[in-house]
Amino acid sequence: MNVFANAVRVLHHRRLAPGSEPVAKTIMKQMKEKAVSHEGFITVETLKDTKEPSSFVEISTWASEHYWEQWRNSKDRRELDTLMKSITTEEEHFVMSNWKFEENEMFLL
């Protein structure tokens, strides 16, 4: 059985106010530390736009949509998210993708 049969990947985009990157990095580090210990968490990666340093994308993987929603609505995340919203210039944007594939269907670009 594929352990990722119900897993989801969540792409999360944030655009920060200019100059707020050091504060954002601290908040993102705290958020990652909390997420890692949350049930259903698998992995997270944070990417910074090379052309626009105030633009970040986080890609997290969760055992299921249920676990992602639990984390998204958790007190820890809501508190840290409130801090992040105070330094962002636009609404956050999420894209969720099911991670359902058979070994022979996986390909690399």
Side-chain angles (χ1 to χ4, degrees), residues 15-72:
R15 190 172 313 276
L16 306 174
S20 65
E21 290 86 356
V23 173
K25 285 180 182 180
T26 299
I27 297 168
M28 285 192 280
K29 181 180 177 191
Q30 292 172 350
M31 197 171 289
K32 181 180 179 181
E33 289 169 358
K34 298 282 186 181
V36 165
S37 64
H38 194 77
E39 185 178 7
F41 173 84
I42 297 174
T43 187
V44 67
E45 182 177 13
T46 303
L47 307 172
K48 182 178 177 181
D49 190 323
T50 58
K51 297 188 185 330
E52 191 173 332
S54 64
S55 182
F56 288 84
V57 173
E58 295 166 329
I59 305 169
S60 60
T61 306
W62 297 85
S64 70
E65 184 174 349
H66 167 77
Y67 290 116
W68 156 248
E69 291 296 338
Q70 276 188 337
W71 164 246
R72 184 177 184 186

Side-chain angles (χ1 to χ4, degrees), residues 52-93:
E52 191 173 332
S54 64
S55 182
F56 288 84
V57 173
E58 295 166 329
I59 305 169
S60 60
T61 306
W62 297 85
S64 70
E65 184 174 349
H66 167 77
Y67 290 116
W68 156 248
E69 291 296 338
Q70 276 188 337
W71 164 246
R72 184 177 184 186
N73 296 310
S74 71
K75 180 181 176 189
D76 287 336
R77 187 184 180 285
R78 283 193 326 262
E79 288 173 355
L80 291 167
D81 194 51
T82 297
L83 295 174
M84 282 298 287
K85 285 180 179 178
S86 72
I87 58 171
T88 57
T89 60
E90 55 189 61
E91 288 294 315
E92 60 190 345
H93 180 72

Side-chain angles (χ1 to χ4, degrees), residues 7-22:
V8 294
R9 299 199 78 191
V10 180
L11 284 74
H12 182 200
H13 179 255
R14 292 184 191 266
R15 190 172 313 276
L16 306 174
S20 65
E21 290 86 356

Side-chain angles (χ1 to χ4, degrees), residues 89-106:
T89 60
E90 55 189 61
E91 288 294 315
E92 60 190 345
H93 180 72
F94 292 98
V95 174
M96 184 181 307
S97 171
N98 290 334
W99 189 355
K100 294 182 180 179
F101 61 85
E102 298 297 324
E103 243 179 84
N104 60 350
E105 293 175 337
M106 190 169 96

